[in-house]
Amino acid sequence: MHLARFPRIRLAHLPTPLEPLPRLSEALGVEIWIKRDDCTGLAGGGNKTRKLEFLLGDAFEQGADTLVTQGAVQSNHVRQTAAAAAAHGLACEVILEERTGSKAIDYTRNGNVLMDRLFGATMRTVPGGSDMTAQLEVSAAEVTARGGRPYIIPGGGSNAIGALGYVDCAREIVVQADELDMQIDRIVTATGSAGTHAGLVAGLAVMGADIPVLGIGVRAPKARQEENVLKLAHATAALLGRPNAVTADMVVADCDYVGEGYGLIDAAVIEALKLAARTDAIVLDPVYTGKAMKGLIALARAGRFEGERVVFLHTGGAQGLFGYQGEIEGAL
């Protein structure tokens, strides 16, 4: 795929480990491995770091001096973007959407929000349901009016440039599996803003690796999520020069585990957090990996992965746990 064709700023500790989860595997009766993208390093790690390598490369190519992005209040993407900006001498303008409606002080001031402030990001909040694309344009216009040169990064870093980070991750997973003489039957990941899911699908398709990816939805209904992922996977494959590599059957999302909505947790999410922590000491987050693990556990117990070797992609986000202390602490 020759990703060196694309501008890139190195931010991540790569390759991230690919490890077995023996005790969780025993508990669920399925062989489960974990791709540790919580260990990418930047600001505590997470999947957005891979995307930001290519996004910052493009930003510098365009002569930008300010990153402009958005996310929910406890956004992992915003934390990592603020950190990347700080590390490279860029300003960072952030719009936080009150997507869950929570006014709890741990949610609005702790966790990722505290780290955003630590990294020096300029933040403003908007009500849930706001047109976030329009809000990005407003912030970018304000930067320009002050004489700055803004670079807009969409929520989650999820465009074709950002998705190149997960094209690279797909390559990395295949190389690691080959080194271990290990066949992977399925990759399971949280799917939200679509960039991670789409990048994996596009990368595996362009390589001809023939490993199915199952996205466990954290926000949108199945039809809309699959449409979003497919559109972005097509765009990413086109950027790689292989526009016809991705087919619709490669994009599968199971959105039965969203619960009451984005960022809203339930007893099954907390049980997933506890099971991962108390078997193989894996710390998940409540919004993305907790719901993905909730889905993986339910599907494994229903026999969906019988006889398979499954790789669970850990996209990070443990910093967000501190924003949910009030909801989680009483259930531990």
Side-chain angles (χ1 to χ4, degrees):
M1 294 177 288
H2 198 44
L3 293 174
R5 294 175 291 164
F6 303 99
R8 184 176 187 177
I9 301 296
R10 297 288 179 167
L11 299 168
H13 300 168
L14 301 178
T16 59
L18 178 64
E19 303 172 338
L21 295 180
R23 297 191 67 230
L24 182 62
S25 298
E26 182 180 3
L28 297 179
V30 176
E31 184 180 349
I32 301 171
W33 289 61
I34 188 167
K35 178 62 172 165
R36 296 294 304 271
D37 271 18
D38 57 320
C39 298
T40 53
L42 180 69
N47 62 325
K48 311 307 180 185
T49 301
R50 288 187 188 266
K51 301 178 184 182
L52 286 162
E53 291 198 334
F54 291 94
L55 290 162
L56 258 70
D58 190 49
F60 278 112
E61 189 98 331
Q62 296 187 30
D65 62 12
T66 305
L67 303 182
V68 180
T69 198
Q70 59 92 358
V73 170
Q74 282 292 332
S75 169
N76 298 311
H77 162 69
V78 167
R79 164 179 47 87
Q80 289 163 88
T81 302
H88 288 276
L90 301 172
C92 186
E93 297 278 335
V94 167
I95 309 130
L96 297 179
E97 181 190 358
E98 297 173 326
R99 197 175 296 168
T100 70
S102 174
K103 300 296 184 182
I105 193 166
D106 53 354
Y107 186 81
T108 60
R109 300 290 295 276
N110 204 348
N112 284 308
V113 178
L114 179 62
M115 295 186 72
D116 298 340
R117 295 185 185 281
L118 183 64
F119 291 123
T122 299
M123 296 186 288
R124 65 184 175 91
T125 58
V126 297
S130 296
D131 183 338
M132 299 306 285
T133 300
Q135 292 291 338
L136 285 172
E137 295 293 345
V138 168
S139 287
E142 291 173 351
V143 171
T144 301
R146 297 195 300 264
R149 299 182 300 278
Y151 181 83
I152 293 177
I153 298 177
S158 291
N159 58 18
I161 293 172
L164 291 174
Y166 274 85
V167 169
D168 192 37
C169 183
R171 176 202 59 78
E172 192 174 292
I173 290 170
V174 170
V175 168
Q176 289 174 313
D178 286 347
E179 289 173 347
L180 293 166
D181 291 325
M182 181 180 81
Q183 178 178 324
I184 297 171
D185 296 303
R186 190 178 308 275
I187 297 171
V188 175
T189 183
T191 183
S193 61
T196 298
H197 192 174
L200 287 173
V201 168
L204 293 166
V206 168
M207 287 187 291
D210 196 28
I211 301 172
V213 179
L214 173 61
I216 305 293
V218 302
R219 187 180 184 187
K222 177 180 174 67
R224 192 194 325 158
Q225 187 65 26
E226 290 183 341
E227 179 183 358
N228 291 343
V229 174
L230 181 60
K231 180 180 179 180
L232 184 49
H234 278 312
T236 306
L239 187 60
L240 292 166
R242 294 284 304 281
N244 299 317
V246 174
T247 56
D249 63 298
M250 296 177 182
V251 175
V252 180
D254 186 332
C255 298
D256 290 344
Y257 305 96
V258 174
E260 294 300 314
Y262 174 89
L264 303 176
I265 64 174
D266 55 28
V269 171
I270 295 173
E271 285 304 311
L273 298 176
K274 288 164 61 176
L275 184 62
R278 295 175 184 184
T279 51
D280 292 293
I282 298 297
V283 182
L284 303 176
D285 85 293
V287 180
Y288 295 93
T289 53
K291 287 193 177 176
M293 183 59 72
K294 168 187 170 181
L296 186 152
I297 291 167
L299 292 169
R301 287 174 172 165
R304 171 73 180 275
F305 305 128
E306 186 174 354
E308 293 187 356
R309 179 181 291 119
V310 175
V311 171
F312 179 80
L313 175 63
H314 190 334
T315 53
Q319 295 75 11
L321 281 169
F322 302 101
Y324 286 80
Q325 179 183 349
E327 294 183 71
I328 294 172
E329 191 172 33
L332 299 180

